[in-house]
Amino acid sequence: MRDVETRPKRGEWIIVLTILFASLPLILGFALLIISSFSKDMVTNLSLSSFRPTIENWINVFQGRLAITGGIRQNILKITLNTLVVALGVSGIVTLISTLAGYSLSRMKFRGRKLMMLLLLMLHAFPGVALIVGVYLLYRLTFPQEPSFVRLYSFFYVVLARAALEIPMSVWLMKGFFDTIPWEFEWSGIIDGASRIKVWRQIMLPLIKPGILAVALFGFLAGWQDLIYVRTFLIDQTLATFIEANIEAEYSHMPLIAAAGTLYLLPTIMFFLTAQQLLLQGYSGGIKG
């Protein structure tokens, strides 16, 4: 009798081939985008007959040129910095609030706790697009009268609004991680005279580092990839709105836009390649609660 349940090798190959076949359109699309970023013309089919290698597109992107002729330029470094500010802001707020709320829901019993958890699930079920009218109303009601604060306010508001969409699920994930830690660790700290905040910070947080990193990563990707909220509330451009605005512009050179799109994809690809195990822990550990 085997101690560990194993699956026949033939069955594994069938599953792998099925997943690869289902993912083929996605893989092909990304591959053509990356190849086009190094070509003088867009590569839109598998024959590669239109592929003429060049790195001019990448040079133009980093120089902020939107067309191969004329003087139309954008500060691509500033746009990338704007994207980073939004992504890091969303990640920081989501991580801070979800670790505090997850600990409270896991360790403390209070009136309305169950209702709060159900409401969090309901909030997560609503798509961001469905909430954007109400979010826009709040944006207008709190809009600053002082013109010099408008640009800063738009960053502040879009970070808060995007983080609010990620917090419900992140709280559930963090609650699941806190649930996996035995009460004895916390009791020993309290018996030694530590406060609940000190126990949370010095004992509990180090034990759930994979969960914190996973939530921070999800928050960063949500902020980096967002288009609708950034397009609606942010005055400055991010990489997503920059690409969206130039796809249909008459002066745009599409291989150059492909290079900008590849630049936009790089953090996501790097994160998923380097943090696969972390992401699996985030999902498997976080849903136990």
Side-chain angles (χ1 to χ4, degrees):
M1 182 178 177
R2 291 175 297 185
D3 294 333
V4 179
E5 183 181 354
T6 57
R7 184 180 292 118
K9 290 288 184 183
R10 181 180 297 176
E12 289 185 359
W13 276 109
I14 292 173
I15 293 173
V16 170
L17 289 174
T18 304
I19 293 173
L20 277 177
F21 183 75
S23 307
L24 197 57
L26 195 63
I27 296 171
L28 186 61
F30 284 131
L32 290 177
L33 178 74
I34 295 171
I35 292 171
S36 297
S37 72
F38 292 99
S39 172
K40 291 183 178 178
D41 298 310
M42 282 298 287
V43 180
T44 56
N45 53 54
L46 297 177
S47 71
L48 299 182
S49 57
S50 55
F51 178 66
R52 293 189 294 157
T54 179
I55 59 170
E56 186 181 2
N57 299 320
W58 285 92
I59 295 173
N60 287 335
V61 164
F62 285 111
Q63 290 179 342
R65 295 179 62 185
L66 300 184
I68 54 177
T69 59
I72 305 172
R73 288 177 180 269
Q74 284 273 11
N75 189 342
I76 196 71
L77 294 179
K78 183 174 181 294
I79 291 173
T80 306
L81 181 63
N82 293 339
T83 316
L84 270 176
V85 169
V86 174
L88 291 175
V90 172
S91 176
I93 291 175
V94 169
T95 306
L96 176 64
I97 293 179
S98 60
T99 49
L100 285 167
Y103 175 72
S104 302
L105 291 171
S106 172
R107 290 300 203 248
M108 300 176 185
K109 289 186 178 179
F110 51 89
R111 182 177 294 180
R113 172 174 171 269
K114 194 171 182 179
L115 177 63
M116 183 181 291
M117 292 170 65
L118 289 173
L119 288 175
L120 285 172
L121 271 185
M122 287 180 62
L123 281 174
H124 180 68
F126 282 101
V129 178
L131 301 172
I132 201 161
V133 175
V135 178
Y136 184 77
L137 179 62
L138 283 177
Y139 176 75
R140 295 303 305 173
L141 290 175
T142 56
F143 200 76
Q145 300 298 318
E146 179 61 41
S148 58
F149 290 153
V150 171
R151 177 164 270 109
L152 181 62
Y153 174 76
S154 70
F155 270 105
F156 177 73
Y157 193 85
V158 79
V159 167
L160 280 184
R162 197 62 186 83
L165 295 177
E166 299 301 314
I167 285 173
M169 189 61 191
S170 299
V171 169
W172 266 92
L173 288 175
M174 293 309 300
K175 178 187 176 298
F177 276 102
F178 282 115
D179 286 345
T180 61
I181 300 175
W183 275 94
E184 287 76 9
F185 288 96
E186 193 168 355
W187 288 338
S188 62
I190 294 174
I191 290 171
D192 289 340
S195 64
R196 296 300 290 264
I197 291 293
K198 196 171 182 179
V199 167
W200 170 78
R201 183 166 52 87
Q202 295 187 354
I203 297 178
M204 304 297 278
L205 291 189
L207 294 174
I208 57 162
K209 276 182 181 175
I212 296 173
L213 291 174
V215 167
L217 177 58
F218 293 144
F220 180 88
L221 293 178
W224 182 270
Q225 297 171 347
D226 183 75
L227 174 62
I228 296 174
Y229 276 60
V230 167
R231 181 79 172 78
T232 306
F233 301 114
L234 192 64
I235 293 175
D236 294 285
Q237 280 189 321
T238 64
L239 283 173
T241 53
F242 167 77
I243 294 168
E244 184 257 346
N246 287 284
I247 281 178
E248 297 180 353
E250 293 182 0
Y251 54 77
S252 292
H253 183 52
M254 290 312 293
L256 194 149
I257 300 300
T262 305
L263 175 66
Y264 177 61
L265 282 176
L266 282 180
T268 306
I269 295 172
M270 288 169 59
F271 273 129
F272 275 102
L273 288 179
T274 57
Q276 293 178 47
Q277 293 300 321
L278 185 64
L279 294 174
L280 288 175
Q281 288 179 34
Y283 274 122
S284 60
I287 61 176
K288 289 178 181 176

